[in-house]
Amino acid sequence: MVKRLLTAILLTGVALQTHAEPLTMEQILQKVVNHYPSLKIASMQVEKASKESVRVNSQFGWQLNGQSGLSHETSMTAVAVDRLMVGGGAVKKLSSGDILSLTGSLRFDQLKDSTFTVPDPSTNLDFEVNYRRALGKGADNLDYRLAANQAEVGKKMAYAQEKLQYDQIAAQVLGLYLQAVVTHKQIDNVRISIKHSQRLNKFVKGRLGLGISENKDELQVTAQLNGLKAKLKGLQLLWVQQEITLNRLMGLPWENKLDINLTNDANSPKEQLANYISEATQYSPELLIIDSELAIAESTIQAKSNSRKDTLDLVGFVGNRLTTGELPNNTYTTISEPQIGIRLEYKTNLDHSGYDAALSQAYLDRSIALQKRVDAKERIHYQIASLLAEIHESKGAYRAARLSVKSEQAKLDEAEKRYRNGRIEIDRIIQYESQLTASKLSLSLQKVELERRIYQLALLRGSLWKKVARPHYDWSNAPATNSLSSKPQ
């Protein structure tokens, strides 16, 4: 169905859009990155990762708690108590890792049938300030520093993964663009051949009327001409398919007509191998991801090593317990009990096998990341070296192809002169014409291959993005239902 539709468009010659804007590869890529949905998702992932540091820092705020209740209790002495209690507290973790906590409660007790000489009813007010410092596990606020470091590493990893997606999209667009250029070069090449064949056919018919040419000459030229026209239709169909694919990536209507700018905008490399390797290594999203994995492994090693330690906390506290109430002799009393002290709290785990296994895994993760980094750097080195060598050879191949075109053109011109004098058969002219056509197409394709390698080198170094702006999105209103329609800023 789709193929028939595309064929109908070609055969009818319907112009679905009157104006076609010539687009370079960079312009196409710019339109794609401004539209592509997965890149918006990657931007959201970066924004999400950036919020982790806010969550980690939130632990330094005051944490409040409260409780209240009404109860009827019976003790072992069978004395019943009606109790009303209201309490609360506040906890704050300091940047040093120490913990400051404030607790207080107000309790009203009323005994039933009490024979004890205690205030009844009584009001009890308790208040305590507690200061805790870790001396073993968690000393120097290691948990926070590791969490903050991992939050920052997570943000860098999300950004590196976003860069990787941009590069993957760019590689896809580059491939489609160069395929489109090849298609256009082939179409232009066939059209030139058709014009030449039409001119030759007219010449043959003129000589046929004079009795100089034979019918077989006309049949051969006509067969060649029909073959070229059939090839042209096939190439035009291929271009329509490529055009629809590019429109989809750019978010344009499928019937939008495109005009590919065939001008070479890619600059030939001028720097030395070492400079390009340095640029590619600094830019590489893959290496950024590996470095993030390495940093996470280092943090995990510290965290697991800290978890293996014994817990030893120094706790200082100061407070007061105040009780007021009525004694059985109808007198009021107030009892105040100030409290102050310091204590050590110790806890250990006799089985460290779980901690040791987790620590061993973290060390292996670090070793894996280190090896991946070595492999990635080596791969970048050889990719750059290979591209530079291929570019050098491609320039030589292009110069050789240009000389070949000149030779084939001279050979055809000489053969046509001999044909006019009746000294050569028409099939030799057709053969030479085909050879010239192939030589011209080879020259065009050599140029495209040279451009492909130059663009690949620019993508590997990150210099391609100097001509293409990566869009910036504002996800500050992420909970809103229209977030996905945010425009790049």
Side-chain angles (χ1 to χ4, degrees):
M1 178 66 183
V2 174
K3 189 172 182 179
R4 289 201 298 270
L5 175 62
L6 297 175
T7 304
I9 293 172
L10 291 172
L11 294 178
T12 57
V14 176
L16 297 175
Q17 184 171 322
T18 58
H19 175 69
E21 177 188 359
L23 295 173
T24 65
M25 196 283 293
E26 289 82 2
Q27 289 172 328
I28 293 174
L29 180 57
Q30 185 69 72
K31 291 180 181 292
V32 171
V33 300
N34 287 342
H35 163 74
Y36 214 70
S38 66
L39 297 181
K40 295 181 181 179
I41 296 174
S43 175
M44 292 183 206
Q45 295 289 359
V46 174
E47 181 67 18
K48 177 183 175 182
S50 67
K51 300 299 183 184
E52 181 64 16
S53 59
V54 178
R55 187 196 66 80
V56 171
N57 289 324
S58 68
Q59 64 180 281
F60 295 119
W62 282 99
Q63 307 294 323
L64 304 179
N65 61 81
Q67 61 276 337
S68 63
L70 179 64
S71 64
H72 177 80
E73 302 177 10
T74 302
S75 67
M76 295 181 62
T77 58
V79 177
V81 181
D82 289 332
R83 175 168 293 166
L84 174 65
M85 188 274 292
V86 177
V91 179
K92 180 179 176 60
K93 187 173 185 179
L94 307 178
S95 58
S96 62
D98 299 345
I99 298 176
L100 175 65
S101 61
L102 309 175
T103 58
S105 64
L106 178 63
R107 190 178 73 248
F108 179 79
D109 294 339
Q110 186 169 15
L111 305 178
K112 301 297 185 181
D113 300 326
S114 173
T115 58
F116 297 98
T117 57
V118 295
D120 179 39
S122 64
T123 301
N124 303 278
L125 177 63
D126 295 341
F127 178 77
E128 182 175 293
V129 178
N130 191 299
Y131 192 88
R132 178 183 297 269
R133 166 165 289 188
L135 302 178
K137 181 189 298 185
D140 300 324
N141 206 10
L142 181 62
D143 291 341
Y144 164 73
R145 290 192 287 107
L146 293 177
N149 181 60
Q150 290 196 349
E152 185 63 27
V153 170
K155 182 179 178 180
K156 291 180 180 178
M157 176 173 284
Y159 177 69
Q161 290 171 339
E162 182 189 34
K163 287 179 64 176
L164 183 61
Q165 286 200 38
Y166 272 92
D167 281 2
Q168 290 171 345
I169 293 298
Q172 181 183 357
V173 172
L174 174 59
L176 291 171
Y177 168 79
L178 292 175
Q179 287 175 9
V181 171
V182 168
T183 301
H184 276 74
K185 296 289 187 183
Q186 291 173 324
I187 290 175
D188 293 342
N189 185 262
V190 172
R191 282 176 173 165
I192 292 174
S193 296
I194 288 175
K195 289 181 180 179
H196 186 273
S197 296
Q198 288 173 337
R199 188 178 71 250
L200 183 61
N201 188 41
K202 184 178 179 181
F203 176 73
V204 169
K205 285 182 177 180
R207 291 169 63 90
L208 187 63
L210 298 176
I212 301 176
S213 297
E214 300 179 4
N215 288 333
K216 68 179 184 67
D217 293 347
E218 182 183 11
L219 292 175
Q220 285 180 297
V221 174
T222 301
Q224 183 196 37
L225 188 58
N226 290 336
L228 290 172
K229 289 180 178 179
K231 185 177 181 180
L232 179 61
K233 292 298 181 184
L235 290 171
Q236 288 174 331
L237 174 61
L238 177 60
W239 163 237
V240 171
Q241 294 171 329
Q242 294 171 342
E243 192 175 43
I244 292 175
T245 301
L246 288 171
N247 281 327
R248 179 181 64 83
L249 291 176
M250 292 186 288
L252 300 174
W254 70 270
E255 70 272 19
N256 179 64
K257 305 304 293 180
L258 296 176
D259 185 13
I260 298 297
N261 189 329
L262 306 180
T263 304
N264 178 21
D265 291 330
N267 296 320
S268 298
K270 298 180 177 63
E271 299 292 335
Q272 298 297 320
L273 173 64
N275 294 336
Y276 283 136
I277 292 175
S278 177
E279 286 182 16
T281 301
Q282 292 178 7
Y283 170 77
S284 172
E286 182 185 7
L287 279 176
L288 291 177
I289 292 174
I290 293 173
D291 288 342
S292 298
E293 292 174 349
L294 181 60
I296 290 175
E298 295 283 3
S299 294
T300 303
I301 289 173
Q302 295 183 55
K304 298 305 179 183
S305 299
N306 179 66
S307 298
R308 198 182 187 281
K309 294 180 180 179
D310 296 338
T311 300
L312 180 62
D313 291 349
L314 177 65
V315 182
F317 60 92
V318 59
N320 188 69
R321 293 179 180 175
L322 181 65
T323 302
T324 62
E326 184 180 357
L327 295 174
N329 58 6
N330 296 327
T331 61
Y332 287 91
T333 183
T334 298
I335 303 174
S336 179
E337 300 178 356
Q339 297 186 357
I340 186 171
I342 188 171
R343 67 177 182 269
L344 283 173
E345 296 181 0
Y346 176 78
K347 183 171 65 175
T348 187
N349 192 336
L350 297 180
D351 184 5
H352 291 115
S353 58
Y355 297 115
D356 293 340
L359 186 59
S360 178
Q361 289 175 329
Y363 275 112
L364 287 173
D365 286 340
R366 184 177 69 176
S367 298
I368 291 171
L370 288 171
Q371 186 59 51
K372 287 170 65 176
R373 186 167 64 177
V374 171
D375 294 343
K377 286 185 174 181
E378 182 177 292
R379 185 165 56 253
I380 289 173
H381 181 102
Y382 278 96
Q383 283 178 326
I384 296 291
S386 176
L387 284 172
L388 288 176
E390 290 172 17
I391 289 171
H392 177 74
E393 295 301 324
S394 291
K395 289 180 178 179
Y398 179 76
R399 289 191 293 268
R402 192 164 51 191
L403 289 175
S404 176
V405 170
K406 291 182 179 179
S407 299
E408 294 293 341
Q409 184 67 61
K411 184 173 68 174
L412 178 61
D413 292 342
E414 191 274 336
E416 287 180 342
K417 291 179 181 178
R418 285 193 290 159
Y419 177 74
R420 292 188 181 94
N421 297 326
R423 296 189 301 152
I424 191 173
E425 297 292 333
I426 192 67
D427 55 353
R428 187 63 63 86
I429 298 296
I430 293 175
Q431 177 188 351
Y432 289 171
E433 165 66 22
S434 298
Q435 291 173 349
L436 176 60
T437 299
S439 180
K440 287 182 177 179
L441 181 59
S442 176
L443 176 63
S444 298
L445 296 183
Q446 286 292 348
K447 185 176 181 182
V448 172
E449 286 304 310
L450 177 59
E451 292 177 15
R452 184 191 305 277
R453 291 177 173 88
I454 294 174
Y455 273 123
Q456 287 175 340
L457 181 61
L459 181 60
L460 200 59
R461 295 163 49 214
S463 60
L464 180 63
W465 299 109
K466 294 179 180 178
K467 296 182 179 180
V468 181
R470 292 182 11 166
H472 297 281
Y473 299 94
D474 181 12
W475 304 114
S476 57
N477 297 322
T481 56
N482 62 347
S483 298
L484 291 180
S485 62
S486 299
K487 299 295 183 181
Q489 294 184 340

